[in-house]
Amino acid sequence: MPTTAARLSVFTESVIRGTTRLANQHGAINLSQGFPDFDPPEVLLSGLERAARGPNHQYAVTWGAPAFRKALAGKISRFTGLEVDADQHLVVTCGSTEAMMVAMMTACNPGDKVIVFSPFYENYAADAILSGAEPIYVPLHPPGFGFDEDDLAKAFAQKPKAIVVCNPSNPSGKVFTRDELLTILKYAEQYDTWVITDEPYEHIVYAPHEHVYFNTLPGAFERTITCNSLSKTYSITGWRLGYVHAPASVIAQARKVHDFLTVGAAAPLQDAAVGALELPMSYYEELTTIYTKKRDIFLDILRGTGLPFTEPQGAYYVMVDITELGFPDDTAASEWLIKEIGVAGVPGSSFFREPVKNLIRFHFAKREETLRAAGERLGALAVRANAGR
């Protein structure tokens, strides 16, 4: 029997999705895979009903339905101040997962190196490897998850073709400051490196932190490949609508990759989502208010357990230190939490290149009653932690 590709031995299947399957098996409250348990905005629901009876049931234009791209270009321009040509600067993808793969395959040749900050969303290293590139890891240091410029300089000295910047960051909840992004840009310019950004949490940022779009920095647009999606902002993770935003010359190449990966994103869903992209600024202000409240509720729950955690600056994840629970590693702790406590969180080791085995990532993109139900179960952690002292 022939062997499968050697590159597949370098990484596992998704730990996040595996944790969800285990949670479903044991009836645990799923705070592992980051998706809401509440409905998207009404404009999306009504748009979906209309689209179901509409004419758009066949292939859309490969790189995105014109109406969707036009609305998307308008929304991006509103928040970045950039002029976005719907026909030249965008390619619509099947979620930001495909957008990242398109970006990586557009930017990198086999044998190139790609800088990835650690901890990282698990797809990034896999995307690099599947593209034939080699990841270079730069650690982010808790509790603030900032980087050491010396570490970054050493990584850039290896002359990478690209660097991946997730901002706000999954899993750490870090929001990169303007000065940090300018430091990254300085080295990217020095070594002529692509900057691939992943920004699906752009509108989930907690005061006083602010999201800075990398491609708006002086001189950055021409070397930035922005990946994003509608999943988190509009609570439609299952719709799989993402996009790549980049200079026209880059998009012309990215469209080739996208075409032969998936042909195109779902035409009816693109039609249904146009209205959401045209929502007023008040929607995004309310979104921040909603997630700030959810964060506050969940952090209060965690304080009740007595376990240390890092307060997220953005996104909807929190890393919790489970050392005091007395488990040999985070995988054992995660399985126990699912089977015995009834709450699912992702072993933090799946996000780190370094041997970090004392963290669990929870998310709080859930209804208030779901978070409080999880809190009742997580109350047992305080007892176990105190017993271990």
Side-chain angles (χ1 to χ4, degrees):
M1 181 177 181
T3 59
T4 56
R7 62 178 174 269
L8 299 178
S9 66
V10 183
F11 57 92
T12 67
E13 67 172 327
S14 168
V15 175
I16 298 172
R17 265 77 80 187
T19 305
T20 285
R21 289 193 292 272
L22 191 63
N24 291 340
Q25 181 181 342
H26 292 275
I29 296 173
N30 188 359
L31 303 185
S32 57
Q33 190 171 359
F35 59 86
D37 63 349
F38 46 87
D39 286 338
E42 176 58 34
V43 67
L44 281 163
L45 299 178
S46 59
L48 184 60
E49 291 175 355
R50 185 196 70 251
R53 295 293 180 185
N56 299 305
H57 294 289
Q58 312 309 323
Y59 297 123
V61 174
T62 303
W63 52 84
F68 182 79
R69 277 187 285 112
K70 181 180 178 181
L72 181 59
K75 189 262 181 181
I76 296 170
S77 294
R78 191 165 23 135
F79 284 96
T80 65
L82 297 171
E83 292 186 13
V84 184
D85 187 321
D87 294 323
Q88 306 242 1
H89 293 155
L90 297 170
V91 55
V92 179
T93 61
C94 297
S96 60
T97 299
E98 191 212 338
M100 283 298 301
M101 180 58 76
V102 167
M104 197 77 71
M105 296 185 73
T106 300
C108 297
N109 294 309
D112 285 338
K113 295 181 179 180
V114 177
I115 296 175
V116 176
F117 286 111
S118 174
F120 54 90
Y121 179 54
E122 59 185 357
N123 284 43
Y124 301 155
D127 288 346
I129 293 165
L130 289 170
S131 301
E134 175 189 348
I136 307 169
Y137 298 95
V138 172
L140 296 174
H141 302 286
F145 288 99
F147 58 82
D148 187 307
E149 187 172 346
D150 287 342
D151 292 334
L152 189 65
K154 290 175 183 176
F156 269 103
Q158 298 181 52
K159 299 181 179 179
K161 190 69 178 296
I163 179 172
V164 177
V165 180
C166 181
N167 185 35
S169 179
N170 174 11
S172 67
K174 175 182 175 53
V175 175
F176 286 85
T177 66
R178 183 179 181 86
D179 285 345
E180 287 174 321
L181 296 176
L182 285 171
T183 298
I184 294 169
L185 177 59
K186 175 181 70 174
Y187 288 105
E189 290 176 335
Q190 179 180 344
Y191 290 96
D192 197 21
T193 302
W194 291 109
V195 180
I196 300 174
T197 70
D198 192 22
E199 306 184 45
Y201 303 97
E202 60 182 313
H203 299 298
I204 306 176
V205 179
Y206 309 109
H209 305 283
E210 295 181 358
H211 178 64
V212 176
Y213 294 93
F214 194 92
N215 60 5
T216 66
L217 297 174
F221 182 75
E222 294 304 317
R223 67 175 62 256
T224 305
I225 306 175
T226 300
C227 302
N228 209 329
S229 79
L230 279 63
S231 292
K232 316 301 182 180
T233 297
Y234 306 107
S235 304
I236 49 171
T237 62
W239 286 33
R240 313 308 301 134
L241 291 176
Y243 61 91
V244 178
H245 173 212
S249 59
V250 178
I251 290 299
Q253 304 305 314
R255 286 175 175 174
K256 299 178 189 177
V257 180
H258 163 69
D259 193 0
F260 290 105
L261 278 179
T262 62
V263 178
L269 298 183
Q270 292 183 62
D271 180 38
V274 168
L277 294 168
E278 297 171 342
L279 284 167
M281 190 65 71
S282 58
Y283 172 77
Y284 303 94
E285 294 168 351
E286 184 180 3
L287 186 74
T288 300
T289 299
I290 288 170
Y291 272 108
T292 298
K293 183 178 181 182
K294 292 180 186 300
R295 183 191 68 156
D296 292 346
I297 289 171
F298 194 64
L299 295 189
D300 280 346
I301 289 169
L302 292 177
R303 290 186 186 99
T305 69
L307 297 176
F309 60 86
T310 299
E311 185 170 312
Q313 302 167 356
Y316 47 57
Y317 306 100
V318 56
M319 303 288 274
V320 180
D321 188 335
I322 45 83
T323 302
E324 293 184 10
L325 296 181
F327 290 95
D329 58 39
D330 54 348
T331 300
S334 175
E335 291 181 358
W336 178 80
L337 281 165
I338 292 171
K339 297 175 182 179
E340 302 299 330
I341 300 300
V343 178
V346 183
S349 56
S350 64
F351 304 110
F352 284 88
R353 174 64 171 177
E354 303 78 25
V356 176
K357 299 183 182 296
N358 65 315
L359 299 174
I360 295 287
R361 189 201 76 174
F362 293 109
H363 85 87
F364 48 87
K366 298 295 184 186
R367 292 172 297 156
E368 183 174 331
E369 52 264 44
T370 304
L371 294 175
R372 296 199 183 283
E376 292 179 4
R377 300 182 184 191
L378 291 172
L381 301 186
V383 176
R384 185 181 176 99
N386 290 330
R389 292 194 179 108

